[in-house]
Amino acid sequence: MNARLALLSAVAPGVPESEVFRLALEHVVGELDALGATIHLRGPTAALRLVSSVGLPSALTQSWETIDQESPRVPARALHHDDGLWAPLMSTDAQGPWASTEDIAWPGTGLVALPLSGGGRNIAALTVLTGEGGEPTPRQWDFLRAVVAWIEERMAQAPPPAGPSRAGHNGERLWQALQEVKVGSWDWNIETDELILDQAALELYIINPAEFNGKMEGWMRDMHPDDLAPTFAAAQRAIRDHSPYEIEYRVRRADGTYRWLQTRARVIYDSKGRPRHMRGVVWESKEGSARDALGRALRYMSDGFLAVDDDWRITFANLEAEHTLDCSEKELLGRLLWDVPALRRIPDLESHCRQAAAKERTSGFDLRMPDTGRCYHLRLVPGADGRTLYLTDVTDRRRMEEEREAAERAASERAAHITELTTALAKATTSRDVVDAVAWRVLPPFDATGLLVQAVEGDRLRNVGAFGYPEEFLEAVDGHVRRPNEPPWSTILSGTPLFVSSVHEMTAYGPELSHLAALAKKQAWAFLPLTASGRTFGVNVLSFDRPRRLTDEERTLLNTITALVAQALERARLYDAEHTRSRELQRSLLPRDLPDDPACTAAARYLPAGQGMDVGGDWYDIIPLSGGQVALVVGDVMGHGLPEAATMGRLRTAVHTLADLELPPDEIMGHLNDIVGGMGEESYVTCLYALYDSTTQVCSIARAGHPPPALVHPDGTVHFPQLGSDPPLGAANPPFETVDLKVPEGSLLVLYTDGLVESANRDVDQGMADLAQVLRTAHEEGLDADLERLCDAVEAELIPADSQAADDAAFLIARLHALDDERMASWPLPKDPKAASQARQHVREQLSAWGLENLTPTTELLASELVGNVVRHAKGPVRLRLLRAGELICEVFDGSLTMPRIRRATENDEGGRGLQLVTALSQRWGARYTSTGKCIWTEQPLLGPDGQGGPPDGLDPLLLLNTEEFQEDLDELSLDGRDLEQH
């Protein structure tokens, strides 16, 4: 089922129509990625009236406030098309609806509309302004029809206006009412839609009488949205059945609140039986005002108060009832009593209520809320038109009655709990295991509600574990300094237990302790020393949420239990210390922070195996390279232990070294294969290496025994590329297969180890399918916009916090970015002395276009030096390329495979200083092989140390003279075939 339809189906019956319309429109706009949507309701005459809209400002919907049912506009036409209709916005079909909007250019591609039926005819129209998606797909049409069916169902279930009920007015009573209240008269011309109101009616109906336009929409604008449909329906019945029109509804006051009005009218027909006018009177409902006052008094009662009708549907709920049932008034009204979520799980509630009501007298029974555990007495009082129910919290009263019985049961259960505790402590590995064993097996037999275990560190107490305390209390006591007179330190220093049976006794040890007691929300404590090997190293504190004086038997039993806990905790702390050191070593071998690279943004996680497992060898890495390239790596050294972690560190260093040589992925995997092969037969390593080029949007991937990456396209589709199945490193026979993928801008590349997708309960294929589903769902919910949140979602779904993973896992999520054409420039150069001059000219023009004039002198010298050396020492073809990424990159390509090497030139050498000049002028430089030769590149920061573009600090100013002043000299040198390196 569509997720949005599932959400709508979860809406309880009895929701007001305005809320039904709002929910439907919001989900329709979201599902179709539309610009906006409206609902028009059919009025008593030939007019559709706008009752709800989403996404469209009032300035644009003003001309749609009222639409003739026979007009060519799309909402009106939808009434005659049961299957719905589609009208492109720019076609003649769609011009009609928007023709009355003066000089407003509407966005979107078209309009889709469907009718809503009720009472055997079409009564409303749902209209959607579509965005770039255009005409709905068949699946979207099915979704729209399902939403229409849901609206029709909920409209039929919507409650009528909750005005005060009356047995009827006779003439005398009506005359008396007219004398007591302000009465206005009105005349509605049904044929022209004109509405005439006298001064009293204007004051009752309209917020500002000066703004009334004399039309029905002016009256309709101030009516409560939930009352529109019932009011229209009553008018339709009066016109159709030739009956009086009488109804009660709410209108908005100037302060935004609503008041109840009652109106009575009759329809005037012409000689042919056609309705011409509806004339009537309107007055404020005094009974409605009295009912509101009574409602306010009931609403703030200390007990929960509910009113239900004869069908057991809730018609009123006060604040205490809302709090008790954990539902708002809007969620409660109109709902069956036993369909309220908080009451739904109370067994036999309906039968108990009906049995109590059958007695026709006040009766009641106890019930317990499953969610809160609170006990309430439900008192049911019958009435003329329903029943009232009172909910009184009797938890404390019932608890005192049950305590005696509970104490007897607790004594018999303690022995079983102690046996279980001994077994659990023997199996406990970590401090957390020990604390959990005590919390689950010691607290229940003693009716304790809190546990705090603290250990001594210097002159402070540090929390080891806790249960049943607020977070603010734990923060307050963690690191508590040494105060010998306070109960925790007194217990540790003396080595004897201390029992405090009330808050009053606690404050006797120090007035400041009353604050901690209030913060902990406890009223009695047992402070028990933790002693092992003759040394007291901490305190075990049990607490109770009521005053509690332990018996001698209970105190002796707690002392015995604490001795067992101390031994187990001392052993667990030694394990924790060793395990922590191993974890810190493993984490120190992983990247502390991922690099900030223009080619990709990324987030990653390393998830260690469950408790009891040693460290593993999973790793990930991002390595920025030259020319807008970046390498993404993930690997897994099989096994657990310090040797595997050390192997991982060696391989990660090797990958960095090989990547800096800018070798292709298959060659890097070949070198890693040789390294692992030299480690011995016991080494088993899987690895995946991806090289992404942001200038071409091509990602080259090679792997060795590793799961394929997941590629998430911008539209949310997830794809696992088909890669070569090379064996793990150390067992493979090069060459490795490389696969090139064209990656759209903004795609996500997800690299992971097998620990993320494989477990004892899930094979790799199922794990990859689960990963794909998580990524798709995250895209639909918008979580993939934040990679950190996306990592959290992947971790929560594939490795839940409460599971014990048998293997560690690492995964890396990278959003790949393309370097667009506006930030790249490339030119072919001739292999002759003119090349350097042309290169300088291209640099000047391009940097001026980019607004980087401050970098022009440096870049000209770099380009001139590189091009000059290529022309002299290499072979063609020659090409110059500038990239504006995180830095300014200058690249010179040629057809030679000879790599430049920097050397130290003596005073008598004529050459050899060119690369020294390049080193001085650039942030860094290097060279890499290409498919046709090689590329020499330099990088310069776009901003200097002072925040302005410019050359590096400490550079000789003579090297950066204004090149425009001696440009002709440089060009003449180039024409003479001379190289700057020679001069």
Side-chain angles (χ1 to χ4, degrees):
M1 179 184 238
N2 182 286
R4 296 184 184 275
L5 293 177
L7 286 175
L8 291 176
S9 299
V11 177
V15 174
E17 288 178 335
S18 59
E19 183 68 8
V20 170
F21 295 156
R22 182 188 67 80
L23 289 172
L25 292 182
E26 288 180 351
H27 283 288
V28 164
V29 170
E31 180 71 18
L32 271 64
D33 196 17
L35 303 180
T38 64
I39 289 182
H40 285 77
L41 199 61
R42 199 171 190 173
T45 60
L48 286 170
R49 306 192 188 279
L50 180 66
V51 295
S52 186
S53 68
V54 166
L56 302 175
S58 58
L60 301 183
T61 59
Q62 186 174 2
S63 62
W64 269 23
E65 290 284 349
T66 304
I67 298 176
D68 190 277
Q69 295 181 17
E70 303 303 325
S71 76
R73 294 186 171 180
V74 171
R77 290 164 52 197
L79 297 177
H80 309 291
H81 292 75
D82 291 341
D83 293 331
L85 61 92
W86 158 254
L89 191 57
M90 298 308 297
S91 72
T92 56
D93 289 339
Q95 285 298 312
W98 308 101
S100 62
T101 305
E102 299 90 355
D103 303 325
I104 296 179
W106 279 82
T109 55
L111 297 167
V112 56
L114 295 93
L116 283 75
S117 63
R121 67 189 192 115
N122 292 334
I123 61 171
L126 167 66
T127 309
V128 184
L129 176 62
T130 59
E132 297 179 358
E135 182 176 1
T137 64
R139 184 183 64 80
Q140 291 173 332
W141 274 110
D142 292 341
F143 174 79
L144 289 172
R145 294 187 181 100
V147 172
V148 166
W150 179 82
I151 296 175
E152 293 169 351
E153 177 186 359
R154 288 304 190 269
M155 286 179 66
Q157 299 170 345
S165 60
R166 293 176 175 80
H169 286 284
N170 55 29
E172 181 180 355
R173 185 178 178 187
L174 175 61
W175 174 253
Q176 181 181 359
L178 297 180
Q179 299 301 314
E180 295 176 354
V181 300
K182 181 183 293 186
V183 179
S185 62
W186 51 272
D187 185 341
W188 174 35
N189 189 322
I190 300 176
E191 188 173 22
T192 64
D193 203 38
E194 293 180 356
L195 181 64
I196 300 174
L197 305 175
D198 65 7
Q199 185 61 33
L202 277 171
E203 293 176 359
L204 289 170
Y205 274 133
I206 310 301
I207 294 177
N208 185 358
E211 297 179 357
F212 179 53
N213 61 1
K215 297 289 185 179
M216 282 294 290
E217 60 262 24
W219 162 79
M220 183 181 66
R221 183 167 51 244
D222 297 323
M223 184 182 291
H224 195 287
D226 293 341
D227 297 346
L228 281 171
T231 304
F232 286 168
Q236 288 277 18
R237 288 194 300 271
I239 295 172
R240 183 184 66 242
D241 301 339
H242 292 245
S243 60
Y245 174 62
E246 183 175 4
I247 196 168
E248 209 162 12
Y249 46 82
R250 290 161 289 182
V251 295
R252 188 171 63 248
R253 294 187 178 97
D255 61 1
T257 61
Y258 286 88
R259 63 179 170 188
W260 285 95
L261 296 182
Q262 185 177 4
T263 187
R264 177 177 290 184
R266 63 188 181 91
V267 182
I268 309 298
Y269 301 87
D270 62 11
S271 59
K272 296 182 179 181
R274 292 175 297 191
R276 293 299 186 184
H277 289 265
M278 181 180 284
R279 294 171 181 158
V281 293
V282 59
W283 65 92
E284 185 172 5
S285 173
K286 293 297 184 180
E287 293 184 30
S289 300
R291 183 181 60 83
D292 289 343
L294 176 59
R296 285 193 296 271
L298 292 174
R299 187 152 179 79
Y300 295 99
M301 284 177 56
S302 59
D303 286 346
F305 178 83
L306 295 169
V308 297
D309 59 17
D310 291 334
D311 296 326
W312 295 92
R313 293 191 178 275
I314 298 173
T315 59
F316 181 84
N318 69 354
L319 287 174
E320 183 61 26
E322 293 178 31
H323 174 73
T324 301
L325 301 178
D326 195 24
C327 284
S328 66
E329 182 182 29
K330 182 183 294 184
E331 294 171 324
L332 290 173
L333 295 184
R335 176 172 285 186
L336 279 172
L337 177 65
W338 30 83
D339 281 347
V340 175
L343 302 176
R344 190 179 298 157
R345 289 184 289 157
I346 298 178
D348 302 323
L349 175 63
E350 181 179 357
S351 62
H352 287 322
C353 289
R354 293 189 183 278
Q355 291 171 8
K359 299 177 182 179
E360 292 298 334
R361 56 185 174 82
T362 300
S363 57
F365 53 89
D366 283 359
L367 56 87
R368 187 174 295 276
M369 297 295 179
D371 294 333
T372 63
R374 306 290 294 178
C375 183
Y376 291 86
H377 182 72
L378 177 65
R379 184 162 60 96
L380 191 147
V381 180
D385 54 355
R387 297 161 184 82
T388 56
L389 297 90
Y390 297 83
L391 281 168
T392 304
D393 191 341
V394 294
T395 305
D396 295 337
R397 188 189 314 167
R398 298 293 185 262
R399 187 190 65 233
M400 294 176 65
E401 296 171 357
E402 295 171 357
E403 279 181 356
R404 290 187 296 272
E405 300 175 6
E408 295 175 1
R409 290 194 303 269
S412 62
E413 294 174 356
R414 283 172 190 158
H417 280 290
I418 297 306
T419 302
E420 294 178 4
L421 174 64
T422 304
T423 304
L425 290 178
K427 296 178 180 179
T429 304
T430 66
S431 299
R432 181 73 258 176
D433 296 338
V434 174
V435 173
D436 288 343
V438 175
W440 291 106
R441 293 171 176 83
V442 175
L443 298 189
F446 292 90
D447 290 331
T449 57
L451 172 68
L452 175 63
V453 178
Q454 292 185 300
V456 178
E457 290 186 9
D459 60 349
R460 294 179 179 272
L461 286 177
R462 294 293 182 184
N463 295 347
V464 175
F467 179 86
Y469 284 100
E471 192 64 33
E472 54 267 28
F473 170 77
L474 297 178
E475 293 176 358
V477 298
D478 191 21
H480 200 58
V481 296
R482 179 170 178 169
R483 293 192 179 96
N485 293 330
E486 291 185 356
W489 281 105
S490 176
T491 299
I492 294 171
L493 296 176
S494 65
T496 57
L498 178 63
F499 300 95
V500 180
S501 59
S502 66
V503 176
H504 178 72
E505 288 186 21
M506 175 64 78
T507 55
Y509 289 95
E512 68 278 2
L513 296 180
S514 61
H515 169 68
L516 289 177
L519 200 60
K521 300 178 181 178
K522 307 298 179 185
Q523 299 188 41
W525 299 264
F527 296 89
L528 307 165
L530 293 170
T531 304
S533 303
R535 181 179 64 89
T536 301
F537 61 88
V539 62
N540 180 28
V541 185
L542 272 68
S543 58
F544 308 84
D545 59 5
R546 59 186 177 83
R548 177 87 152 84
R549 188 174 295 278
L550 296 171
T551 65
D552 293 340
E553 178 186 357
E554 289 174 328
R555 295 183 180 189
T556 301
L557 187 56
L558 280 177
N559 285 330
T560 303
I561 291 173
T562 302
L564 297 174
V565 172
Q567 296 293 334
L569 190 60
E570 180 73 0
R571 183 179 65 252
R573 292 178 70 205
L574 293 175
Y575 172 83
D576 289 342
E578 180 181 354
H579 196 66
T580 299
R581 287 193 293 270
S582 299
R583 294 288 189 210
E584 289 175 353
L585 171 63
Q586 209 271 351
R587 290 188 180 278
S588 68
L589 298 174
L590 292 173
R592 292 188 178 274
D593 297 299
L594 295 177
D596 184 13
D597 192 86
C600 73
T601 53
R605 293 287 188 276
Y606 170 75
L607 308 173
Q611 292 183 358
M613 300 298 293
D614 209 339
V615 294
D618 291 22
W619 91 92
Y620 57 84
D621 221 332
I622 292 182
I623 307 171
L625 302 175
S626 66
Q629 299 181 105
V630 62
L632 300 98
V633 192
V634 65
D636 183 4
V637 179
M638 297 304 164
H640 296 86
L642 293 179
E644 284 73 15
T647 299
M648 178 268 285
R650 294 170 61 188
L651 289 178
R652 180 169 175 253
T653 302
V655 171
H656 266 269
T657 302
L658 295 171
D660 285 342
L661 295 176
E662 307 211 45
L663 300 176
D666 56 335
E667 291 188 27
I668 288 180
M669 296 300 286
H671 287 297
L672 290 176
N673 185 64
D674 295 338
I675 294 173
V676 175
M679 293 180 179
E681 296 180 357
E682 297 181 357
S683 297
Y684 182 77
V685 180
T686 67
C687 183
L688 186 145
Y689 185 94
L691 178 63
Y692 174 67
D693 189 340
S694 63
T695 64
T696 61
Q697 294 182 253
V698 172
C699 186
S700 302
I701 303 175
R703 65 168 178 160
H706 205 84
L711 182 61
V712 185
H713 290 268
D715 62 357
T717 57
V718 182
H719 170 61
F720 291 94
Q722 296 295 325
L723 305 178
S725 55
D726 290 308
L729 296 175
N733 294 316
F736 288 85
E737 181 180 350
T738 300
V739 175
D740 293 335
L741 303 176
K742 187 71 174 180
V743 181
E745 160 67 25
S747 298
L748 296 180
L749 188 65
V750 183
L751 281 62
Y752 53 92
T753 60
D754 60 353
L756 184 69
V757 296
E758 185 179 22
S759 66
N761 302 320
R762 178 178 60 197
D763 60 26
V764 173
D765 293 336
Q766 181 61 47
M768 292 170 60
D770 293 344
L771 173 60
Q773 182 60 44
V774 172
L775 295 173
R776 279 191 294 268
T777 302
H779 176 80
E780 294 171 358
E781 297 176 354
L783 291 179
D784 58 352
D786 185 338
L787 296 185
E788 292 294 339
R789 292 181 61 193
L790 179 57
C791 286
D792 293 339
V794 170
E795 178 181 349
E797 290 295 329
L798 298 182
I799 306 183
D802 56 353
S803 66
Q804 289 289 328
D807 190 13
D808 52 347
F811 63 93
L812 170 68
I813 302 179
R815 189 183 306 280
L816 304 181
H817 304 295
L819 193 64
D820 53 62
D821 294 340
E822 295 181 355
R823 294 188 291 166
M824 293 189 293
S826 178
W827 306 271
L829 297 175
K831 191 177 184 308
D832 59 42
K834 296 181 180 179
S837 175
Q838 292 181 15
R840 291 192 295 272
Q841 179 66 28
H842 291 319
V843 167
R844 282 194 301 273
E845 294 174 354
Q846 188 60 50
L847 294 189
S848 177
W850 284 343
L852 299 176
E853 290 86 350
N854 288 342
L855 294 177
T856 300
T858 308
T859 311
E860 279 192 65
L861 285 175
L862 289 171
S864 181
E865 175 62 31
L866 296 180
V867 171
N869 284 336
V870 165
V871 170
R872 180 177 182 185
H873 301 293
K875 61 181 181 180
V878 182
R879 184 162 59 94
L880 171 68
R881 185 169 75 165
L882 293 179
L883 304 178
R884 182 183 179 184
E887 300 84 12
L888 178 62
I889 302 172
C890 177
E891 298 178 325
V892 175
F893 297 82
D894 64 65
S896 171
L897 296 178
T898 303
M899 285 292 182
R901 294 290 184 269
I902 189 170
R903 62 187 178 85
R904 186 175 186 87
T906 65
E907 296 180 356
N908 298 325
D909 290 339
E910 293 185 359
R913 296 179 176 82
L915 291 181
Q916 295 182 18
L917 178 63
V918 170
T919 302
L921 292 177
S922 60
Q923 180 174 270
R924 65 177 187 142
W925 71 275
R928 65 178 183 271
Y929 288 110
T930 66
S931 59
T932 59
K934 70 174 183 294
C935 168
I936 308 175
W937 52 268
T938 67
E939 287 184 5
Q940 303 172 72
L942 294 179
L943 293 177
D946 58 353
Q948 302 293 326
D953 290 341
L955 195 62
D956 191 343
L958 294 176
L959 295 175
L960 300 175
L961 295 174
N962 188 345
T963 56
E964 295 181 358
E965 298 178 0
F966 60 97
Q967 186 60 48
E968 295 180 359
D969 295 337
L970 287 173
D971 292 342
E972 289 178 2
L973 288 173
S974 298
L975 291 173
D976 290 343
R978 299 174 184 174
D979 186 358
L980 282 175
E981 187 175 303
Q982 296 177 307
H983 298 276

